[in-house]
Amino acid sequence: MSPQDKFSAALQGIPLVGILRGLRPDEALPICRALAATGWSLMEVPLNSPQPLQSIEAIAAALPDALVGAGTVLSADDVRNVHAAGGQLVVSPNFNPEVVREARRLGMVCLPGVMTATEAFAALDAGASGLKIFPAEMITPAVVKALCAVLPADTRLLPVGGITFENMGAFRSAGACGFGIGSALYKPGMTAAQVSDNAMKFIAACAGTIRA
């Protein structure tokens, strides 16, 4: 299954990206296997984590059905390094056209961070697979709804930052197709069991928004 197919399948199932900031290589497999056991298949290790490429390489090899990659990807060199490690997903806090174009060239799913309509259209023109609406603490569901009114109908919007059980429904109703979940899912020092429990709670909350 191609990275794009994996992404589309995840959005139809559990449209949640696990942001595993601070993950160490020695805990990468226990944490990510626990996530995968819940059905969670979108996982990113931010590049400002300890030895992130080692973690990405281990996770991608152990969980070939998951869409695994990196967050905080800031340059085309970063994209190539993630690809060389086996990553298929590139997530950024910002929109850099060189990052998007390189990810697309390598067949990777690319989710640049945007906040405005200008950034959103530019990112889509560059070939973004979807848009990370970031930081969501600064963007209300009303803003997401307004963006959806002008962006192409098939645009995938994923708010990230401050996503909670309580606000998922409002963002989903506004047009968000998924979410990135960070410290509410995983913080350094958490056990695999704790992460699994958090994952199940977010899956249940997200399922509630989907049914609504």
Side-chain angles (χ1 to χ4, degrees):
M1 187 182 294
S2 72
Q4 298 294 336
D5 288 341
K6 289 181 183 180
F7 186 49
S8 295
L11 292 182
Q12 294 300 314
I14 299 174
L16 303 172
V17 181
I19 303 169
L20 307 173
R21 191 176 306 279
L23 187 75
R24 302 189 314 270
D26 62 287
E27 62 181 349
L29 290 186
I31 294 295
C32 290
R33 282 179 170 144
L35 276 177
T38 71
W40 201 297
S41 64
L42 302 174
M43 308 175 195
E44 65 159 279
V45 180
L47 290 182
N48 54 3
S49 303
Q51 299 174 293
L53 297 176
Q54 289 188 25
S55 294
I56 291 166
E57 184 173 12
I59 300 163
L63 301 172
D65 293 332
L67 182 62
V68 178
T72 318
V73 178
L74 303 179
S75 70
D77 282 341
D78 286 343
V79 175
R80 288 186 284 271
N81 290 336
V82 173
H83 183 264
Q88 299 178 322
L89 172 66
V90 164
V91 185
S92 303
N94 64 319
F95 164 56
N96 179 335
E98 293 182 1
V99 167
V100 175
R101 286 194 289 265
E102 187 65 4
R104 292 293 290 185
R105 185 184 74 82
L106 294 171
M108 305 168 80
V109 170
C110 186
L111 304 175
V114 304
M115 185 183 288
T116 67
T118 297
E119 292 175 325
F121 278 105
L124 293 174
D125 286 345
S129 309
L131 303 175
K132 171 181 174 177
I133 306 299
F134 178 80
E137 292 98 333
M138 296 178 63
I139 301 171
T140 65
V143 173
V144 172
K145 184 176 181 179
L147 287 173
C148 287
V150 296
L151 293 172
D154 60 351
T155 301
R156 295 149 160 176
L157 301 180
L158 292 87
V160 178
I163 300 302
T164 66
F165 305 138
E166 292 76 24
N167 65 18
M168 291 177 85
F171 276 114
R172 189 77 187 207
S173 296
C177 70
F179 303 93
I181 311 296
S183 59
L185 172 71
Y186 166 83
K187 293 178 184 175
M190 281 187 177
T191 66
Q194 288 174 314
V195 173
S196 177
D197 184 58
N198 291 339
M200 292 298 293
K201 290 176 181 176
F202 272 105
I203 290 170
C206 191
T209 70
I210 293 169
R211 287 195 297 271

